[in-house]
Amino acid sequence: ETGVTQSPTHLIKTRGQQVTLRCSSQSGHNTVSWYQQALGQGPQFIFQYYREEENGRGNFPPRFSGLQFPNYSSELNVNALELDDSALYLCASSYGMAEELAFEQYFGPGTRLTVT
Amino acid sequence: ILNVEQSPQSLHVQEGDSTNFTCSFPSSNFYALHWYRWETAKSPEALFVMTLNGDEKKKGRISATLNTKEGYSYLYIKGSQPEDSATYLCAFRPWDYKLSFGAGTTVTVRA
């Protein structure tokens, strides 16, 4: 196992609601990235946090937001949920700045979000 | 959104046979190419990070090659075993470091 944990494992929400997903990084890792994997697709990059600051974002609207805490755990928040937000959400932790190294990311098992 | 394609989408292999599959990615702005193995109900597991044209990496019976000029990478599995059954993802990392994943190749090894 990677040492990266995510909670909850599964979640069902109603359209228009808000959701918070959590990720606990591998010890010593200061960078976390979040990905959305819709059915039949590869993971899509949402954003990345380095030392509590967002330092890169994919093509996702502002209702997708995040936080990284001093202990490097992080949250993904999604407001005004839409049916298309139903997906597997993965977080991945790593050490260092993304552009400094071709580093490895260590993924959590994901949170399956269903929006009805 | 960068176009990263993997083919085939799925394949079935007889135990003991070897197989390979492809990841195609943009040939410009290349920084690194990642391969992951993703077993059902588990976390994606990093296999290789490849950065140089002509790179070859090996881990046990699994190996990978990289051609950055033409934008492709091959993953090879030699002597497939049932435990090799998984989805294999490649991810292209350009200089802005945002990973773009392919949709994966799902390998099923039949005993």
Side-chain angles (χ1 to χ4, degrees):
Chain A
E1 294 301 321
T2 62
V4 180
T5 60
Q6 292 186 242
S7 63
T9 306
H10 296 87
L11 198 53
I12 300 174
K13 288 285 190 177
T14 303
R15 188 171 47 185
Q17 286 188 315
Q18 178 266 342
V19 70
T20 297
L21 311 182
R22 293 180 174 83
C23 173
S24 178
S25 300
Q26 186 166 331
S27 178
H29 285 184
N30 56 13
T31 304
V32 66
S33 301
W34 284 90
Y35 297 87
Q36 179 197 66
Q37 189 192 28
L39 202 60
Q41 299 180 22
Q44 300 290 317
F45 176 75
I46 302 175
F47 44 56
Q48 178 175 282
Y49 278 79
Y50 170 70
R51 292 186 177 178
E52 303 176 57
E53 297 280 334
E54 183 182 304
N55 77 335
R57 190 177 184 92
N59 295 326
F60 282 81
R63 60 190 185 83
F64 285 78
S65 63
L67 282 173
Q68 187 183 28
F69 300 101
N71 66 355
Y72 301 134
S73 65
S74 70
E75 289 181 353
L76 164 65
N77 299 288
V78 187
N79 294 322
L81 283 166
E82 301 177 0
L83 296 179
D84 285 350
D85 296 332
S86 295
L88 180 70
Y89 289 85
L90 295 162
C91 74
S93 75
S94 56
Y95 179 77
M97 279 290 282
E99 61 266 35
E100 292 174 343
L101 300 165
F103 57 85
E104 270 315 333
Q105 294 187 106
Y106 296 86
F107 282 86
T111 293
R112 174 74 62 186
L113 173 65
T114 302
V115 182
T116 61
Chain B
I1 297 177
L2 299 173
N3 194 24
V4 179
E5 295 187 353
Q6 291 188 246
S7 63
Q9 184 176 0
S10 64
L11 60 91
H12 291 77
V13 189
Q14 198 67 33
E15 183 177 358
D17 287 351
S18 297
T19 189
N20 65 83
F21 38 92
T22 309
C23 172
S24 300
F25 52 86
S27 55
S28 61
N29 206 24
F30 177 87
Y31 187 79
L33 193 283
H34 298 249
W35 280 101
Y36 294 89
R37 173 168 59 198
W38 197 355
E39 295 178 64
T40 304
K42 294 188 177 180
S43 308
E45 172 198 357
L47 286 174
F48 306 116
V49 182
M50 309 178 80
T51 57
L52 298 175
N53 184 43
D55 245 357
E56 292 189 26
K57 299 270 187 176
K58 188 175 180 183
K59 188 174 185 177
R61 294 177 290 97
I62 300 176
S63 60
T65 61
L66 178 68
N67 184 323
T68 60
K69 295 188 187 305
E70 296 182 38
Y72 65 84
S73 175
Y74 291 126
L75 193 87
Y76 301 88
I77 304 176
K78 184 178 178 182
S80 303
Q81 299 297 310
E83 58 264 32
D84 296 327
S85 295
T87 295
Y88 292 82
L89 292 170
C90 70
F92 168 71
R93 183 186 293 277
W95 280 94
D96 71 357
Y97 64 80
K98 298 173 187 176
L99 278 182
S100 291
F101 280 84
T105 293
T106 299
V107 175
T108 304
V109 181
R110 296 179 291 214

